[in-house]
Amino acid sequence: MKLIIGFIIVLAISFISILFSNSNSSKIIDDTDRIIHTHMVLTDISEIEAKLIDLETGQRGYIITGNPDYLTPYNNSLKILDEKLEHLKEITSDNPNQTKRIVLLKASVKQKLAELALTIRLRQTKGFDAAKEVVMTDEGKIIMDKIRQHLNEIQKEELRMLDIRSVKPEQSRIRTNRILYALLLLTIITTVWITYLISESISTPLKKLKNSTQIVGEGNLQHQIDISSKDEIGQLATSFQNMMQKLQSIMTSREELQKEIEYRKEIEKSLLETRDVLVQNERELTKSNSTKDKLFSILAHDLRTPFNSMIGFADILYNDYETLSEKEVREYINIIYNGLESTYELLNNLLIWSKDQKGKLENNPLQQNLFLLSKHTIDTMQISTKEKSIQLNINIPDKLKVIVDENLYQTILRNLVSNAIKFTPKQGTVTLEAESKWDSRNNKEYIQIKVQDNGVGIAEHLKPMLFDIGEKYSTRGTEDETGSGLGLSLCMEFVEKSGGEIWFESKLNEGSTFYFTLPASNA
């Protein structure tokens, strides 16, 4: 409350100072506007006189020479003169005496214009002598002297008013400065006085409160604070006294409270550990269920389907062999062979995948010659390429070396190349390429391997689920070859185990390109 009262007093003095300053500023601005107004009147008087001189100059030049060019300043001044007289009348309308003088001025100007027009007309119609006679009467000079007299009276009146108005702004400024200095001095004295009173009323009890906190900090909770005021500091002292009383009762049970806190922390820690275990178990259970569903799907469909087909064609060969043509026999044997080959590939992937799930799959990365390692794998797949007349190209530099486990790499490459052959039509092309690249982010070298085909491509809706073992979908090859989707899941897992990445690009009916990376031998 003391602070608020002191602030209100200082604010009131400041508000009075602002009001007074604003009032005097308005007066100074008004006086300045009046001075500017007087200068405008004086300017108009000078311009009217100049225009009249231009009129006489043009008239005389034309009368003497008869050259119409001398009438140019006459005509220009004639157009502007009336506007200047009206403007002068308008800006002096607040002064009745000036208004009367301007009425007389306009009448004299009208006479002068009539005299000038008469002489010009006589020069045009009757010649120089007729115009000269009018000029020699001195009537024009008498009218012009009268005009100058009117202009002089108007000018004197404005100069008189200018002398009066020029003094007022300076007087207002001096008066304003004096009052502002007085108000400033009053504000400083009032502020210092209020600050002293407030300081004393606040600092004394605060010192008592500070001393009391030091005593309590030394352990004396029985100390009484000697502050009886009802203001905020008194309320703070009362609250502090009550706090000490509560602290006394709390200190008596501090050990029990500490034990309770420790006990609860142990329970919380145990609950958090239990929650983490449950979350991990839930993730493993979800993964296990997904894996189990995929395994059952493979066993129930992908293994049974080729066996049913092979048993059917084997039964035909066994019972109807003698009635079949050689072409039909070769066709049925080829179907049985393809079924056995895809079933073998599936069983091989299942065996590798099973070892990996049990953690028994070895990963022994060594330095390998990439060309020799790749050619060894590709050579085992030549039968499939010959059956579909597919051209298999290997573009790998002879000296390119990687760090990878031989079995893992062969599984990755076998599955990717097998898929490329499966989904490439007859007479198609499958290309295996590799090149060395530099990873600027990690500042190391790596090898990028590419398996590219010009086959059927991958539909957009299948791309997001291509590497997901939990997704249940099946796509047949160009020659009705079967597949389980397990191979690509193995590829992804084995590439990541080898410290690389795998991705693909594909457009429907334009082919697919699978990329994967491996560490270079000097990485």
Side-chain angles (χ1 to χ4, degrees):
M1 185 58 68
K2 294 170 185 175
L3 289 171
I4 292 172
I5 293 171
F7 177 75
I8 289 173
I9 293 172
V10 174
L11 187 62
I13 296 173
S14 301
F15 184 70
I16 292 170
S17 301
I18 292 170
L19 286 178
F20 181 78
S21 299
N22 186 55
S23 175
N24 277 273
S25 297
S26 299
K27 289 180 180 178
I28 292 172
I29 292 170
D30 185 58
D31 291 336
T32 304
D33 289 340
R34 290 179 181 275
I35 293 171
I36 294 171
H37 176 271
T38 302
H39 282 291
M40 290 174 62
V41 174
L42 294 173
T43 302
D44 279 357
I45 292 170
S46 299
E47 290 181 355
I48 289 170
E49 189 172 3
K51 295 304 174 186
L52 288 169
I53 292 172
D54 289 342
L55 286 169
E56 281 192 328
T57 302
Q59 176 233 19
R60 290 175 183 175
Y62 176 69
I63 289 173
I64 294 169
T65 64
N67 187 352
D69 291 341
Y70 282 93
L71 292 178
T72 301
Y74 173 85
N75 293 326
N76 292 337
S77 299
L78 196 62
K79 294 177 183 177
I80 300 172
L81 183 61
D82 190 57
E83 295 178 3
K84 291 295 180 182
L85 288 169
E86 288 298 324
H87 184 257
L88 181 63
K89 180 181 177 182
E90 181 183 345
I91 61 178
T92 58
S93 60
D94 59 335
N95 190 332
N97 293 327
Q98 292 290 67
T99 303
K100 292 177 183 178
R101 294 186 184 99
I102 291 171
V103 170
L104 296 174
L105 174 64
K106 290 183 70 176
S108 298
V109 169
K110 186 175 181 181
Q111 289 178 356
K112 181 62 178 177
L113 293 177
E115 184 263 335
L116 293 174
L118 175 61
T119 56
I120 291 171
R121 187 167 60 254
L122 288 173
R123 179 67 173 89
Q124 291 173 341
T125 58
K126 296 182 179 182
F128 173 76
D129 292 333
K132 180 181 177 183
E133 288 181 10
V134 176
V135 174
M136 293 300 291
T137 61
D138 289 337
E139 182 183 352
K141 180 180 180 302
I142 294 169
I143 297 172
M144 194 63 189
D145 290 341
K146 191 185 296 184
I147 290 172
R148 287 193 176 94
Q149 182 181 355
H150 294 321
L151 289 173
N152 190 40
E153 290 175 357
I154 296 170
Q155 187 176 32
K156 284 181 178 180
E157 177 64 18
E158 291 298 326
L159 290 173
R160 184 185 66 80
M161 295 174 65
L162 180 62
D163 291 338
I164 296 171
R165 291 170 178 172
S166 299
V167 177
K168 288 185 177 180
E170 182 64 20
Q171 291 176 343
S172 297
R173 185 186 67 80
I174 294 171
R175 184 170 61 254
T176 301
N177 288 340
R178 288 174 180 173
I179 295 176
L180 286 177
Y181 289 146
L183 289 172
L184 178 61
L185 181 61
L186 178 62
T187 302
I188 293 172
I189 294 172
T190 305
T191 303
V192 172
W193 177 66
I194 292 173
T195 302
Y196 173 76
L197 293 179
I198 294 174
S199 163
E200 283 297 313
S201 63
I202 294 174
S203 61
T204 301
L206 281 178
K207 289 178 182 178
K208 291 182 179 179
L209 188 59
K210 177 185 176 183
N211 294 333
S212 297
T213 55
Q214 290 177 346
I215 295 171
V216 172
E218 294 172 357
N220 184 7
L221 298 179
Q222 305 294 331
H223 177 73
Q224 295 295 321
I225 301 174
D226 184 21
I227 298 176
S228 58
S229 62
K230 302 298 182 182
D231 57 9
E232 289 84 352
I233 298 177
Q235 295 173 11
L236 178 61
T238 302
S239 299
F240 190 75
Q241 194 75 55
N242 293 335
M243 182 191 69
M244 287 191 297
Q245 294 175 358
K246 292 180 181 179
L247 187 61
Q248 279 182 293
S249 61
I250 291 172
M251 290 295 289
T252 56
S253 57
R254 184 177 63 180
E255 293 182 359
E256 288 77 5
L257 181 61
Q258 186 64 32
K259 290 180 181 179
E260 179 69 18
I261 292 172
E262 291 177 359
Y263 175 71
R264 292 191 178 188
K265 284 184 178 180
E266 289 294 328
I267 294 176
E268 183 179 358
K269 182 180 178 181
S270 176
L271 289 173
L272 290 174
E273 291 175 353
T274 304
R275 186 195 65 180
D276 292 341
V277 171
L278 290 174
V279 170
Q280 183 63 28
N281 288 341
E282 182 181 4
R283 290 175 182 169
E284 292 178 357
L285 181 61
T286 302
K287 182 179 178 182
S288 176
N289 286 337
S290 176
T291 304
K292 179 189 68 177
D293 292 343
K294 182 65 178 178
L295 179 60
F296 286 163
S297 173
I298 293 170
L299 293 175
H301 180 269
D302 295 321
L303 279 178
R304 186 176 65 180
T305 299
F307 271 114
N308 287 339
S309 176
M310 288 186 292
I311 290 171
F313 284 104
D315 183 70
I316 293 173
L317 285 172
Y318 180 77
N319 293 316
D320 302 329
Y321 180 78
E322 296 178 355
T323 62
L324 297 174
S325 65
E326 183 179 352
K327 181 179 179 181
E328 289 176 326
V329 171
R330 291 181 63 84
E331 181 181 350
Y332 294 162
I333 291 175
N334 186 54
I335 291 172
I336 294 172
Y337 174 80
N338 287 335
L340 287 171
E341 186 178 40
S342 64
T343 303
Y344 173 77
E345 180 185 349
L346 175 60
L347 288 172
N348 191 39
N349 281 337
L350 279 172
L351 179 62
I352 295 172
W353 176 71
S354 176
K355 286 183 179 180
D356 184 53
Q357 295 299 306
K358 294 177 181 178
K360 296 181 179 181
L361 187 67
E362 295 183 359
N363 182 13
N364 185 26
L366 298 173
Q367 177 178 281
Q368 308 280 356
N369 183 293
L370 187 62
F371 174 79
L372 296 178
L373 186 61
S374 302
K375 190 174 186 305
H376 175 72
T377 304
I378 295 301
D379 287 343
T380 63
M381 309 179 74
Q382 293 297 331
I383 295 176
S384 300
T385 59
K386 288 180 180 179
E387 287 179 352
K388 297 181 73 173
S389 300
I390 290 176
Q391 182 179 351
L392 183 57
N393 301 320
I394 304 178
N395 298 324
I396 299 177
D398 295 342
K399 297 182 180 180
L400 210 58
K401 295 182 179 181
V402 295
I403 300 295
V404 69
D405 180 87
E406 181 178 352
N407 293 325
L408 294 187
Y409 178 77
Q410 289 179 347
T411 301
I412 296 167
L413 190 61
R414 185 177 67 251
N415 278 286
L416 292 179
V417 175
S418 175
N419 279 347
I421 295 171
K422 184 187 300 181
F423 296 107
T424 299
K426 291 182 177 181
Q427 308 299 325
T429 303
V430 175
T431 303
L432 173 64
E433 294 182 355
E435 60 179 329
S436 174
K437 291 197 172 186
W438 183 259
D439 184 358
S440 58
R441 291 178 302 174
N442 300 315
N443 199 29
K444 65 179 181 180
E445 184 184 2
Y446 67 94
I447 306 300
Q448 178 177 291
I449 300 140
K450 177 174 72 174
V451 178
Q452 185 176 24
D453 65 68
N454 60 351
V456 297
I458 302 169
E460 289 295 326
H461 71 280
L462 295 178
K463 288 181 180 181
M465 61 183 79
L466 202 63
F467 292 110
D468 192 351
I469 193 172
E471 295 292 339
K472 297 178 175 62
Y473 70 92
S474 179
T475 305
R476 291 185 174 271
T478 57
E479 297 296 316
D480 205 34
E481 301 98 324
T482 59
S484 64
L486 182 62
L488 287 178
S489 300
L490 285 176
C491 288
M492 183 176 184
E493 192 165 343
F494 288 177
V495 167
E496 291 176 352
K497 281 181 180 290
S498 302
E501 298 177 355
I502 185 169
W503 68 96
F504 69 94
E505 298 173 355
S506 180
K507 289 186 178 180
L508 202 60
N509 300 320
E510 293 185 15
S512 303
T513 303
F514 281 80
Y515 302 87
F516 66 97
T517 61
L518 294 173
S521 63
N522 60 344

